[in-house]
């Protein structure tokens, strides 16, 4: 799932330029992402880290990019043979995207009320 999703992200007209600009070593990044999702979905504890600071440091992120990320995530998880795990993964991704978007806005514009992502 992780490899399929991030392959779609890399090829996406909107997300590809963002990810491909800031991810220098995709092989290493995929290992970290696999550890992250394994920890989140399977409780393996393989991931150690704090994703928020890395995302907050990126310039020019928008709600639209987070929503596009979720659209692609939905497409990939819907194609998974384990439907229950696919739904769980998408629900988790939605919460993560909302949290990262909220944190991004708070770091960039702390004087304004953060906006929510649109349901996709």
């Amino acid at each position: 799932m992780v490899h399929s999703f991030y392959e779609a992200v890399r090829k996406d007209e909107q997300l590809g330029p963002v990810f491909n600009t800031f991810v220098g070593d995709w092989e290493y990044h995929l290992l970290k992402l696999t550890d992250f999702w394994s920890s989140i979905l399977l409780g393996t504890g393989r991931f150690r880290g704090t994703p928020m600071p890395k995302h907050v440091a990126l310039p020019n992120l928008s709600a639209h990019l987070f929503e596009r990320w979720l659209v692609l995530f939905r497409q990939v998880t819907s194609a998974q043979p384990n439907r229950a795990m696919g739904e769980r993964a998408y629900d988790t991704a939605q919460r993560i995207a909302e949290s990262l978007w909220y944190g991004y806005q708070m770091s960039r514009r702390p004087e304004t009320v953060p906006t929510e992502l649109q349901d996709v």
Side-chain angles (χ1 to χ4, degrees):
M1 176 193 80
V2 173
H3 288 262
S4 295
F5 172 66
Y6 284 99
E7 182 65 27
V9 165
R10 291 172 76 179
K11 292 178 180 178
D12 187 75
E13 290 181 10
Q14 297 167 45
L15 295 175
V18 176
F19 277 81
N20 293 323
T21 296
F22 293 101
V23 175
D25 182 348
W26 270 102
E27 190 172 320
Y28 175 76
H29 196 58
L30 283 169
L31 290 173
K32 296 296 269 180
L33 291 166
T34 301
D35 286 347
F36 174 80
W37 287 105
S38 174
S39 291
I40 297 292
L41 296 174
L42 304 174
T44 63
R46 290 175 19 191
F47 180 78
R48 299 281 184 249
T50 52
M52 183 68 76
K54 293 186 185 299
H55 289 82
V56 165
L58 298 174
N60 304 318
L61 296 186
S62 66
H64 177 75
L65 291 173
F66 282 92
E67 291 160 357
R68 179 67 185 150
W69 186 88
L70 284 169
V71 166
L72 292 181
F73 207 95
R74 169 65 86 190
Q75 291 172 356
V76 170
T77 56
S78 293
Q80 296 302 303
N82 183 336
R83 304 290 288 173
M85 182 58 79
E87 279 299 313
R88 182 173 169 204
Y90 179 77
D91 290 345
T92 302
Q94 193 169 29
R95 287 191 300 277
I96 289 167
E98 289 169 352
S99 175
L100 289 172
W101 175 234
Y102 187 86
Y104 187 82
Q105 292 176 88
M106 291 298 294
S107 72
R108 298 292 170 134
R109 299 182 309 267
E111 70 286 351
T112 62
V113 175
T115 61
E116 295 182 8
L117 296 175
Q118 299 296 311
D119 288 331
V120 293

